[in-house]
Amino acid sequence: MSKSLKILTLGLLATGGAAFAADPNLPKPGEIGSAVTPQEIARWDIDVRPDGLGLPPGQGTAEEGEQVWMDNCAACHGEFGEGVDRWPVLMGGVDSLSSDSPVKTPGSYWPYATTIYDYVYRAMPFGNAQSLTPDEVYALTAYILNMDEVVPSDFVVNAETLPKVEMPNRDGFIDDPRPDVKVASQEPCMKDCVKEVKITGHARKIDVTPEEGGGVE
């Protein structure tokens, strides 16, 4: 190839590359339609599975989590997880799920201990989510489990021990019997399904009707 042809070829390539890079029709990085980089995916890939998949390195105990709790959680959930005003209660409630006023806490309701880590890191503290380190989240997870009397105060929570914690309500869930809901052992109803749905009960009795003064039962 002659020197002049090489220069022409390089010039065309450079011009074409510049035109491609400057094409206003192509989405810019971060815009809808742009290619997602592995680094961007890694920032969103923070879920923790029931079997512990996704738990990061680190560890913590309830004793270590007490100060983290007081600094970040007690203002809403109370010093002992009793809840403040209408913020959720996080301790107690065992054997209350069949009552008219079930108290759903990690100790009474949640089937997997790993969900505590997943939720705390993902969404807490309220208004400043994902600001805690893995060690702090592990310590808070241990503190919550200890408040619910699931683990002792010196129990070390980490990626190896947390999936093995047996939650009190682990076996309290059953398949949804509704015909249009797919469960692991059944196929969803696609024809000749129930045409009329009749409500036979409510999950919770909400007694808001005034006893006197014209209320209607």
Side-chain angles (χ1 to χ4, degrees):
M1 183 180 293
S2 66
K3 184 177 180 180
S4 59
L5 183 56
K6 286 183 179 179
I7 294 174
L8 176 61
T9 302
L10 291 174
L12 289 173
L13 290 173
T15 304
F20 179 80
D23 188 343
N25 296 319
L26 295 176
K28 299 177 181 177
E31 291 184 344
I32 294 177
S34 62
V36 181
T37 67
Q39 292 77 15
E40 290 173 328
I41 294 176
R43 290 201 296 268
W44 286 92
D45 187 15
I46 61 173
D47 66 301
V48 175
R49 311 288 176 84
D51 62 0
L53 181 65
L55 284 170
Q59 67 177 34
T61 65
E63 296 169 346
E64 296 167 338
E66 182 175 5
Q67 191 59 52
V68 185
W69 173 272
M70 296 302 293
D71 293 341
N72 298 276
C73 316
C76 296
H77 296 292
E79 295 184 9
F80 303 100
E82 72 275 20
V84 176
D85 296 331
R86 296 181 66 85
W87 295 100
V89 176
L90 295 183
M91 55 82 72
V94 176
D95 296 330
S96 70
L97 299 183
S98 60
S99 69
D100 288 342
S101 299
V103 179
K104 297 181 178 179
T105 70
S108 71
Y109 182 71
W110 293 26
Y112 303 110
T114 53
T115 307
I116 300 174
Y117 185 100
D118 179 84
Y119 185 79
V120 169
Y121 179 71
R122 181 185 304 279
M124 293 290 117
F126 182 73
N128 197 22
Q130 300 180 31
S131 62
L132 301 175
T133 67
D135 283 346
E136 290 174 322
V137 180
Y138 276 123
L140 282 176
T141 302
Y143 191 78
I144 294 170
L145 289 171
N146 179 247
M147 285 194 300
D148 278 297
E149 300 181 346
V150 178
V151 300
S153 60
D154 59 350
F155 182 79
V156 178
V157 173
N158 55 38
E160 181 180 354
T161 62
L162 188 58
K164 298 177 182 177
V165 174
E166 289 284 343
M167 300 298 283
N169 196 41
R170 168 70 68 88
D171 300 322
F173 290 79
I174 59 175
D175 290 339
D176 191 330
R178 289 175 295 180
D180 59 338
V181 176
K182 183 177 181 179
V183 295
S185 59
Q186 300 177 1
E187 291 295 327
C189 179
M190 302 300 292
K191 64 177 182 179
D192 300 328
C193 303
V194 177
K195 296 182 180 178
E196 181 181 0
V197 177
K198 182 179 180 181
I199 298 175
T200 59
H202 294 273
R204 181 177 181 179
K205 180 182 179 181
I206 303 176
D207 188 11
V208 296
T209 304
E211 297 294 338
E212 298 178 355
V216 179
E217 290 289 351

